[in-house]
Amino acid sequence: MSNSFENYQRRKLISSYFSVVLSIALVLFLLGILGLLVLNTKKMADRSKEQITISIFLKENAKEIEVEQLQKTLAMSEYTKSATYVSKEEAAEQHSKEIGEDFVDYLGYNPLKNSIDVKLNADFVTAEKVGEIAADLEERSFVDEVSYDKVLVSMVAKSVEKIGFWILVASAVFTFIAVLLINSSIRLSIYSKRFIIKTMQMVGATKTFIRKPFIWQNIKLGMLGALLALAAIAGVIYYVNTNFEDLGLLEDPSIIIILFVGVFLLGILISFLSTYFATQRFLNLRTDELYY
């Protein structure tokens, strides 16, 4: 009979620990994925900004030395990510592929112009800065026109701001929910031991002495849950990086390190605080209040 009861208690204890570890792992996994998104938001936004192109169309009488000098100036400019010279023949060939027919043969001449396609660094892709850069380039006598998608520039800048704001809001909300969920799991685990806590207190044990084993036990569970969450996050990162290499998740290892350390420490911190306040609550209750 005694062995049967001990086995029952052991199974109950293991089940309690399992539910705590699982809840911590699931919540930290979701937070980790959200954190990965937050940390990579700027990089993904920069990638989209750097796809915007300014096309500098050159006059027919533009001298070769003038074009070369402009290319060198652009290459040394802080706002330039890349500057590529595109001859009108290359532009015609590319345009013919896009439309599916040779329009030069149809027209009898090539209406396109030599140009330099400039991709900007992300920090300079705003309506004001791009406008200033375009105006400065248009002042050159051999430049016929500077063209870029003004609507797209404005839309990208505004969209990035909105997305960044809502991701931060979502992060705050999910963090709050995560704390509540982990706290609830730990409180339920400690609730089942409330009579043990009160008995220890009644025989003279100090609050610190009573809290210590509970805190250490749940910190270990928090660490285990964090490790499981990190293993799952690593799997997601590997899958995404393998199938969507353009996202470049592993280009900056420091971001991944920060994320993993943050998730691990968060698991420990939430476990510690939840256990501390849960045990404190039962320590402050009267004996008759433990039954409610």
Side-chain angles (χ1 to χ4, degrees):
M1 184 69 179
S2 177
N3 289 335
S4 178
F5 180 74
E6 288 178 3
N7 290 334
Y8 169 76
Q9 289 292 96
R10 190 179 295 108
R11 287 196 301 269
K12 188 177 179 181
L13 187 63
I14 292 172
S15 176
S16 174
Y17 288 162
F18 178 77
S19 63
V20 171
V21 170
L22 185 61
S23 64
I24 291 174
L26 289 174
V27 171
L28 290 180
F29 170 73
L30 292 176
L31 278 180
I33 295 299
L34 189 59
L36 183 67
L37 182 61
V38 170
L39 291 173
N40 283 277
T41 296
K42 186 179 186 305
K43 185 168 69 174
M44 290 187 286
D46 288 350
R47 283 179 179 272
S48 63
K49 286 181 178 180
E50 290 172 353
Q51 296 306 309
I52 295 174
T53 302
I54 295 179
S55 295
I56 307 169
F57 295 102
L58 307 170
K59 292 181 179 179
E60 290 293 335
N61 60 355
K63 298 177 182 179
E64 185 176 345
I65 189 170
E66 291 176 325
V67 177
E68 289 179 358
Q69 186 176 7
L70 176 58
Q71 276 191 281
K72 290 179 180 179
T73 302
L74 289 170
M76 292 186 293
S77 298
E78 60 178 347
Y79 59 75
T80 304
K81 181 175 178 62
S82 66
T84 307
Y85 177 77
V86 181
S87 67
K88 61 182 182 180
E89 290 78 19
E90 290 173 335
E93 183 179 351
Q94 183 178 352
H95 190 60
S96 296
K97 289 180 180 178
E98 291 175 357
I99 64 176
E101 61 178 323
D102 192 342
F103 69 95
V104 175
D105 287 343
Y106 177 77
L107 295 176
Y109 71 100
N110 185 354
L112 302 179
K113 298 176 180 179
N114 298 324
S115 65
I116 299 176
D117 287 345
V118 180
K119 292 187 183 295
L120 304 178
N121 287 317
D123 292 340
F124 293 88
V125 182
T126 64
E128 296 77 13
K129 290 181 179 180
V130 174
E132 291 174 3
I133 293 169
D136 178 63
L137 292 170
E138 283 180 336
E139 291 180 358
R140 301 172 187 271
S141 59
F142 57 91
V143 173
D144 185 62
E145 180 187 2
V146 177
S147 175
Y148 65 94
D149 194 330
K150 296 180 181 179
V151 175
L152 180 61
V153 170
S154 299
M155 186 176 68
V156 167
K158 290 178 181 177
S159 297
V160 167
E161 290 179 2
K162 288 181 179 179
I163 291 171
F165 171 75
W166 286 112
I167 285 178
L168 288 176
V169 171
S171 300
V173 172
F174 272 98
T175 301
F176 178 71
I177 293 172
V179 171
L180 288 181
L181 289 173
I182 294 176
N183 182 62
S184 297
S185 297
I186 291 176
R187 283 186 65 181
L188 285 173
S189 174
I190 295 175
Y191 175 81
S192 63
K193 302 179 183 68
R194 65 194 185 282
F195 293 108
I196 297 175
I197 292 173
K198 185 55 64 176
T199 301
M200 292 173 69
Q201 189 177 23
M202 291 174 67
V203 297
T206 63
K207 291 183 178 181
T208 301
F209 180 83
I210 296 170
R211 275 196 301 261
K212 187 176 179 180
F214 288 99
I215 289 175
W216 178 234
Q217 181 64 50
N218 283 301
I219 283 178
K220 288 191 289 185
L221 295 178
M223 292 169 65
L224 180 57
L227 290 174
L228 291 175
L230 291 177
I233 293 170
V236 170
I237 292 174
Y238 175 79
Y239 174 81
V240 173
N241 190 67
T242 302
N243 293 277
F244 305 95
E245 294 183 4
D246 292 341
L247 294 177
L249 290 182
L250 298 179
E251 284 183 358
D252 188 357
S254 62
I255 291 179
I256 306 300
I257 293 172
I258 290 171
L259 175 69
F260 277 37
V261 172
V263 169
F264 188 76
L265 293 179
L266 188 61
I268 294 174
L269 179 62
I270 296 176
S271 298
F272 170 79
L273 293 176
S274 298
T275 306
Y276 180 89
F277 288 112
T279 52
Q280 186 67 24
R281 176 177 179 271
F282 292 116
L283 285 169
N284 292 334
L285 289 177
R286 297 194 308 270
T287 305
D288 59 322
E289 293 176 325
L290 296 176
Y291 295 92
Y292 298 101

